[in-house]
Amino acid sequence: MKEWVAFLRTKGLTLGLVPTMGALHQGHVSLIRRAREENDKVILGIFVNPTQFDKKEDLLSYPRDIEKDREIASREGVDIIFAPSVEEIYPKGFSTFVEEEDLTERLCGEHRSGHFRGVTTVVMKLLNIISPDRAYFGQKDLQQSQVIKKMVMDLNMNVEVVVLPTVRDKDGLALSSRNQHLSMAERQTALSIYKALIRARELFASRETDSRKILEEMHDILLGAGILQIDYISIVDPETLEELEEARPDAVVVLACWVGNTRLIDNMSLSEATSSKEPAPALSSNVGVYCDTPLQGAKLSK
Ligand code: AMP
């Protein structure tokens, strides 16, 4: 991968990286498309990163479908898939980790021990291997994208972090690889997450600024739908992720909850327009795949 990057650099080409854990959906596609628009070459990272999972069952059951991912990547004009093995990213004796110590204290950090340490470490490694001009992340994982922006700033890294809006299904459910785990009935239940977020927005639009009141109504919607385990639900500053007692137009409602055995997260700004839902038109192109094989085995399409 590093040799490819060096080769592309000698040609003066710009690189965009889209790091994912695979099981691609339209949310990932929106990142790939933006990366295509803004860079000469697009590298798609696919790596189910074990160090960011706090539960072994979750890691083992995480959806994987490299063939389908390849098809989507090819259709979307991805130039290289970087899909290293776990041993390659974390060889025997690996002992250096990256930790952000402020933003990660809150929200998901309180509920998923070690999660962000795993995220920052793997993203740092990917950025060091690929040294892209830009890296693309989704607003869906708001805390993750803020933590990465902070890491990039604190550690003087030379990459532009681009954060794009959450892509939702027609009915409002935020797309997530984990949605594959939901039964039909659970998917219905999960819709209450979107309903609760929209309700928060409505309340704010009707001049309710007391966060406690907004959150109470959201709780009721979730509980009413049968969501009994809520890890957190909060109105926060979009940059610092600090809780706000008084809601503001730029504030974001963030939540994490369990639908059956599936943990879902979502968030929505109290005043912005919601994100795009358009289906992906097909584009044809080949794709170079780097999949834990020697460099000679990788193919670069363009
Ligand atoms: P994941 O494969 O779930 O780790 O996600 C890889 C990247 O895609 C992350 O930057 C996510 O924030 C982003 N992403 C996941 N779901 C969505 C979505 N529904 N809309 C936009 N971006 C998303």
Side-chain angles (χ1 to χ4, degrees):
M1 190 67 237
K2 281 191 157 189
E3 282 178 37
W4 271 120
V5 168
F7 169 73
L8 295 171
R9 289 284 178 212
T10 61
K11 303 215 163 270
L13 299 172
T14 57
L15 308 181
L17 169 66
V18 181
T20 77
M21 297 207 296
L24 300 183
H25 51 65
Q26 289 298 118
H28 300 119
V29 167
S30 73
L31 306 185
I32 294 170
R33 287 185 181 176
R34 177 66 76 86
R36 267 253 66 87
E37 280 167 30
E38 296 180 345
N39 304 276
D40 296 320
K41 297 288 174 192
V42 175
I43 299 163
L44 173 69
I46 299 183
F47 182 63
V48 182
N49 176 33
T51 60
Q52 72 186 69
F53 284 80
D54 54 332
K55 292 192 171 69
K56 196 161 175 232
E57 319 82 78
D58 189 23
L59 172 63
L60 293 176
S61 66
Y62 197 84
R64 291 165 169 88
D65 192 345
I66 188 74
E67 279 315 311
K68 189 164 165 237
D69 290 348
R70 264 172 92 147
E71 274 172 35
I72 294 172
S74 168
R75 197 182 68 207
E76 294 299 328
V78 165
D79 297 287
I80 303 176
I81 297 176
F82 180 56
S85 67
V86 172
E87 294 71 30
E88 206 172 4
I89 291 294
Y90 299 112
K92 202 164 173 287
F94 182 91
S95 62
T96 306
F97 289 83
V98 182
E99 277 190 81
E100 192 284 335
E101 295 186 342
D102 177 31
L103 300 172
T104 59
E105 300 268 286
R106 303 185 251 293
L107 309 175
C108 284
E110 280 189 68
H111 295 269
R112 301 186 70 192
S113 166
H115 168 67
F116 286 114
R117 179 181 191 252
V119 169
T120 43
T121 301
V122 81
V123 171
M124 171 69 111
K125 283 183 64 97
L126 293 175
L127 293 174
N128 282 341
I129 293 164
I130 295 162
S131 47
D133 297 274
R134 298 176 194 82
Y136 295 81
F137 298 89
Q139 165 98 18
K140 156 91 174 18
D141 299 86
L142 173 71
Q143 189 172 15
Q144 172 174 284
S145 54
Q146 287 306 115
V147 167
I148 287 162
K149 279 201 237 166
K150 191 76 197 329
M151 171 182 84
V152 164
M153 190 177 73
D154 285 350
L155 299 181
N156 310 92
M157 298 168 70
N158 291 322
V159 62
E160 183 188 339
V161 174
V162 182
V163 181
L164 297 176
T166 302
V167 177
R168 299 177 180 281
D169 249 331
K170 285 192 193 69
D171 55 13
L173 184 68
L175 297 184
S176 163
S177 306
R178 287 197 166 85
N179 292 354
Q180 291 186 26
H181 292 317
L182 300 173
S183 68
M184 294 277 269
E186 285 173 339
R187 204 185 172 291
Q188 267 320 103
T189 304
L191 276 185
S192 63
I193 296 172
Y194 180 67
K195 287 181 190 149
L197 290 170
I198 290 293
R199 183 66 190 140
R201 214 175 237 201
E202 282 170 5
L203 287 167
F204 184 71
S206 63
R207 299 190 197 288
E208 180 58 80
T209 58
D210 182 346
S211 294
R212 198 177 40 86
K213 288 196 185 144
I214 297 174
L215 295 174
E216 260 170 30
E217 277 215 31
M218 293 181 73
H219 255 114
D220 290 347
I221 292 172
L222 296 172
L223 290 174
I227 295 184
L228 306 178
Q229 194 182 341
I230 300 171
D231 278 357
Y232 61 80
I233 175 165
S234 186
I235 295 179
V236 300
D237 178 287
E239 298 291 324
T240 65
L241 306 178
E242 265 158 358
E243 234 175 304
L244 300 171
E245 285 180 18
E246 190 77 9
R248 307 188 308 241
D250 67 324
V252 184
V253 199
V254 287
L255 67 88
C257 60
W258 291 81
V259 178
N261 292 323
T262 308
R263 186 176 187 273
L264 299 176
I265 60 172
D266 203 346
N267 69 80
M268 195 180 275
S269 165
L270 279 177
S271 57
E272 270 169 23
T274 44
S275 62
S276 66
K277 296 170 196 164
E278 316 97 63
L283 296 171
S284 67
S285 141
N286 285 323
V287 59
V289 177
Y290 179 80
C291 207
D292 191 26
T293 50
L295 189 59
Q296 291 84 339
K299 179 164 74 79
L300 188 65
S301 64
K302 293 200 169 164

